[in-house]
Amino acid sequence: MSVPSLPLEGFYSVIPAGGVGSRLWPLSRADAPKFLHDLTGSGQTLLKDTWDRLAPLSGEQRVMVVTGRAHRAAVEAQLPALADENIVLESEPRDSTAAIGLAAAILERREPGVVIGSFAADHVISGDALFRSAVADAVAAARAGYIATIGITPTEPAVGFGYIECGGPIRVPGADRVEAVSNFVEKPDLETAKRYLEGGDHLWNAGMFITRASTLLEELSRTKPELHAGLVELAEAWDDPETRGPAVDRIWPTLEKIAIDYSVAEPAAAAGRLAVIRGHFQWDDVGDFASLAKLNTAGRSGELAILGENARVLADASSGIVVSRAKRVISLIGVHDIVVVDTPDALLVTTSEHAQRVKAVVDALRLGGSSDVL
């Protein structure tokens, strides 16, 4: 493993900080999404953890955050070193292509030829040296003309993640572990996931993309020309305060909602323009309470994870996770793999096995008009 010289020359970090994280309701809400919570007991939010991981790679003045207007104050409070011109505010969520594509268009206009790396604000990563080495190889691949992604080496036959199928190695100057991507695979069933784990040619898709901004925009112009045109027009108006607001109000609501996996990554893979670097660091997208329980009971099989300042929990022969944001005493007796999330206005009780179904509760509450608890 090579140790890169930091910061990486000509590199810009982009942090899309959007999404509510509905599978973590009622902890994660529209006004307090997942990335604004401390979910690992580190003493700081996932967003601040992400900043601390990326700032050494690009330099503090070369980190851009794309987030909702409603979260501006919270983001700026968490990241006091974030440059004013590097906070990009969405008027409403339009999915990852619009968020990352706008960042790419703005940065390419400011600095033609810039290499950008997009990393979610709400993932948990440990093993900084391994992460930095993987990013450095991805930047080398980006400079060679590829759209690069970092795939995570699977540790179990997980069915909650998409997978990246690796092709043969690619020769890239300055990087010795770049591979072609032959296919993106949607979340598989358990038997298929077991085959992927045993075969060694599939990696978890962690949604990390590193590329020249111009390369991403070129791919987007090929696959989604109307979306590309809207983003470029927005970027042209962005750095002038007088033109930015009217342009956002006029253009942003018209942009197609589509994930960057579908608009850029999959077409690039089909065209032989997508490369992958195997990431051997520990990674989790904290997608539900089952994964949150694993993070907080790592190495302590069968125990109960308790999150929440001043949580009052009594447990006897029980395992799982309790997240307490209320003052009441929670007592658990003889229950296993339990999930209890207690907030002042909502209580969730489920099991780790059914943690992915929490999103259905959120959908039902929204349809029922109970937006006050969302």
Side-chain angles (χ1 to χ4, degrees):
M1 179 189 69
S2 60
V3 179
S5 176
L6 300 179
L8 300 172
E9 185 178 355
F11 179 65
Y12 226 104
S13 298
V14 175
I15 305 175
V20 176
S22 55
R23 289 183 178 87
L24 290 178
W25 180 88
L27 178 62
S28 184
R29 311 276 185 108
D31 60 349
K34 183 171 67 167
F35 62 85
L36 291 176
H37 291 273
D38 173 9
L39 298 183
T40 64
S42 70
Q44 58 186 29
T45 65
L46 296 184
L47 174 63
K48 185 59 166 60
D49 286 341
T50 303
W51 171 277
D52 289 349
R53 188 162 53 245
L54 296 177
L57 286 165
S58 56
E60 288 187 343
Q61 296 303 304
R62 296 174 66 83
V63 181
M64 175 174 280
V65 178
V66 185
T67 193
R69 288 175 176 171
H71 303 132
R72 177 173 189 166
V75 168
E76 291 180 337
Q78 288 291 314
L79 309 177
L82 177 64
D84 288 344
E85 67 270 20
N86 283 342
I87 183 165
V88 175
L89 300 177
E90 302 173 306
S91 56
E92 58 179 306
R94 303 305 293 178
D95 219 321
S96 58
T97 301
I100 299 168
L102 178 57
I106 292 170
L107 292 173
E108 176 63 18
R109 185 172 175 81
R110 291 178 183 173
E111 187 180 324
V114 66
V115 174
I116 65 169
S118 173
F119 306 90
D122 55 6
H123 292 181
V124 174
I125 290 174
S126 58
D128 283 353
L130 291 169
F131 174 74
R132 291 171 182 172
S133 178
V135 173
D137 279 0
V139 169
R143 290 187 177 128
Y146 291 95
I147 296 173
T149 186
I150 299 174
I152 307 302
T153 304
T155 57
E156 60 179 329
V159 298
F161 303 138
Y163 283 73
I164 299 167
E165 183 178 357
C166 299
I170 299 173
R171 298 187 66 178
V172 170
D176 56 5
R177 49 181 177 152
V178 182
E179 299 177 64
V181 174
S182 56
N183 194 23
F184 270 74
V185 184
E186 296 292 336
K187 296 177 182 178
D189 58 31
L190 182 59
E191 290 304 313
T192 303
K194 288 179 179 178
R195 291 201 306 272
Y196 291 167
L197 182 64
E198 294 168 359
D201 291 329
H202 289 80
L203 307 174
W204 288 336
N205 176 18
M208 304 179 194
F209 296 101
I210 300 91
T211 180
R212 289 189 188 275
S214 59
T215 304
L216 186 149
L217 293 169
E218 287 167 9
E219 188 67 27
L220 193 57
S221 70
R222 188 176 67 85
T223 61
K224 295 290 179 181
E226 292 185 4
L227 179 52
H228 171 267
L231 293 173
V232 169
E233 187 178 354
L234 274 173
E236 290 172 349
W238 196 264
D239 285 330
D240 183 343
E242 293 186 4
T243 60
R244 179 196 306 158
V248 170
D249 292 342
R250 176 173 53 86
I251 299 170
W252 189 259
T254 71
L255 299 179
E256 180 181 354
K257 285 186 177 182
I258 185 170
I260 199 165
D261 303 70
Y262 303 126
S263 64
V264 173
E266 289 187 1
R273 289 189 285 267
L274 191 68
V276 64
I277 290 83
R278 294 176 184 255
H280 297 284
F281 47 87
Q282 294 184 348
W283 167 88
D284 201 298
D285 71 345
V286 202
D288 58 30
F289 285 109
S291 63
L292 185 58
K294 288 180 183 178
L295 280 174
N296 286 279
T297 57
R300 298 179 295 153
S301 178
E303 291 193 18
L304 183 71
I306 301 173
L307 296 181
E309 189 176 355
N310 302 318
R312 304 171 71 190
V313 180
L314 300 175
D316 179 14
S318 298
S319 65
I321 185 168
V322 176
V323 183
S324 176
R325 292 291 187 269
K327 296 182 178 180
R328 80 187 103 230
V329 173
I330 299 171
S331 181
L332 306 176
I333 303 173
V335 290
H336 300 284
D337 294 326
I338 193 77
V339 173
V340 178
V341 185
D342 191 19
T343 71
D345 61 351
L347 172 67
L348 170 72
V349 180
T350 184
T351 63
S352 296
E353 180 183 358
H354 296 100
Q356 283 275 319
R357 296 171 63 181
V358 173
K359 185 178 185 297
V361 175
V362 174
D363 293 340
L365 288 168
R366 183 176 292 109
L367 288 172
S370 299
S371 59
D372 60 310
V373 294
L374 299 179

